[in-house]
Amino acid sequence: MKSYGSQSMVDSLKRVVVRRPDEAFGNADPARWHYVSQPDLGAAQAEHDALAATLREAGCEVLYHEATLPDHADAIFTHDPVVVTDEGAVVLRMGKTGRRGEEAAIAATLEGLGVPILAALEGEATAEGGDLVWVDDRTLAVGRGYRTNAEGFRQLTAALRPLGVETVEVQLPHGDGPASCLHLMSFISMLDHDLAVVYPPLVPVPFMELMAERGIALVEVPEEEYPTMGPNVLALAPRRCLAIEGNPVTRKRMEAAGCEVLTYRGRELSLKAEGGATCLTRPILRTSSAP
């Protein structure tokens, strides 16, 4: 059994931290927050409640991050301000300046839940959880883009080295520019220790080669399902996952690879606000039956 949540993205999810949409999310100015349009708060809360219910039905304990964070619309995306290891959490520093302040707030919530804080990024370092993908329990892929900078990569590497973790830098494309949200997890999610769902056109060649070397098979997302977050999938257990509803081709391909696919409605939470199932959740405990 792992002690915290995890140098794995696919072991059985037991405890997860979420944040219910509040007035800051409902009042978000789309131009300022780079949303497609302004969310409907009531509908977003209903979607979030249904998401939490699905997580509970899947065997997860759902815990709420309820710190007061006025004017922080993106705080519902609890995945991003920290990365959690088997020994505790590393507090990050958000690359999106409007999200600064989320880090200390969620760190306090995690400490209240018994998760130790191992380290925190400082100075000019930036890194966001959406850029961090555990390829296995000793390898962390780090997307190097507009949200995670070189100093963030350096400090993360130093913080994780004592745990025996290797960090692998993955260069991200420009995409739609600094204002948009292009994370490493925008185009890849782990579904099992040897399976990932990906949108190949955005995956750098060295990272494709690394996954091949590690024996990781790929479920490919078609071009038409990338904008609707086909690659953004939360593993609940090996080959059991949660994805936004829709994306029928990607779903059929995951099922053909042996996955059970649960879905959630994310019209307000996700499609308007650039954050999918992984973004909305911060796993803090996963367990493995492996020896």
Side-chain angles (χ1 to χ4, degrees):
M1 176 182 291
K2 295 183 185 298
S3 53
Y4 295 107
S6 118
Q7 292 167 207
S8 164
M9 301 192 84
V10 300
D11 288 336
S12 296
L13 183 58
K14 298 301 182 184
R15 302 183 87 198
V16 63
V17 174
V18 301
R19 182 178 177 86
R20 193 170 188 261
D22 58 8
E23 294 295 332
F25 183 72
N27 294 332
D29 177 359
R32 178 184 173 196
W33 291 96
H34 206 267
Y35 290 177
V36 172
S37 59
Q38 187 169 349
D40 178 301
L41 180 57
Q45 289 175 334
E47 289 181 356
H48 197 274
D49 292 344
L51 171 67
T54 299
L55 291 169
R56 292 188 191 98
E57 290 166 6
C60 305
E61 181 184 6
V62 177
L63 305 161
Y64 284 87
H65 173 42
E66 297 178 323
T68 301
L69 282 165
D71 200 31
H72 280 76
D74 279 352
I76 67 166
F77 301 122
T78 53
H79 193 90
D80 291 322
V82 294
V83 60
V84 181
T85 76
D86 286 350
E87 303 301 326
V90 177
V91 182
L92 306 176
R93 182 169 180 268
M94 306 303 287
K96 185 176 182 176
T97 55
R99 299 192 66 176
R100 302 270 169 83
E102 291 184 34
E103 307 95 333
I106 201 167
T109 292
L110 294 184
E111 285 187 299
L113 295 171
V115 180
I117 302 301
L118 297 183
L121 301 193
E122 300 176 338
E124 296 305 309
T126 63
E128 296 188 357
D131 280 330
L132 309 180
V133 171
W134 292 101
V135 178
D136 57 45
D137 63 2
R138 287 292 177 265
T139 309
L140 182 69
V142 181
R144 170 68 179 88
Y146 288 118
R147 301 298 182 88
T148 298
N149 65 14
E151 179 61 13
F153 178 75
R154 188 194 71 78
Q155 290 189 25
L156 265 175
T157 300
L160 297 176
R161 187 179 296 118
L163 306 183
V165 172
E166 174 192 7
T167 52
V168 176
E169 185 173 356
V170 180
Q171 293 287 334
L172 300 186
H174 171 76
D176 292 327
S180 69
C181 182
L182 179 65
H183 282 141
L184 178 58
M185 292 176 69
S186 297
F187 54 81
I188 179 170
S189 297
M190 297 299 296
L191 302 175
D192 199 345
H193 300 285
D194 59 355
L195 184 68
V197 56
V198 301
Y199 180 59
L202 293 181
V203 183
V205 170
F207 192 42
M208 290 288 274
E209 293 174 339
L210 173 68
M211 289 188 288
E213 291 166 4
R214 301 294 177 92
I216 298 171
L218 305 179
V219 174
E220 296 190 5
V221 175
E223 182 178 2
E224 64 272 16
E225 292 184 3
Y226 171 70
T228 48
M229 301 188 179
N232 194 307
V233 179
L234 174 69
L236 303 172
R239 282 178 161 77
R240 189 176 193 224
C241 57
L242 178 65
I244 191 169
E245 66 181 12
N247 300 322
V249 175
T250 301
R251 178 172 182 171
K252 287 179 181 178
R253 290 177 179 178
M254 289 192 291
E255 291 172 339
C259 296
E260 176 189 1
V261 183
L262 308 180
T263 62
Y264 75 100
R265 180 178 176 85
R267 185 181 302 275
E268 304 296 325
L269 291 173
S270 298
L271 297 180
K272 285 187 177 180
E274 294 193 310
T278 57
C279 313
L280 290 161
T281 52
R282 168 35 67 194
I284 61 169
L285 177 64
R286 289 183 183 269
T287 61
S288 171
S289 59

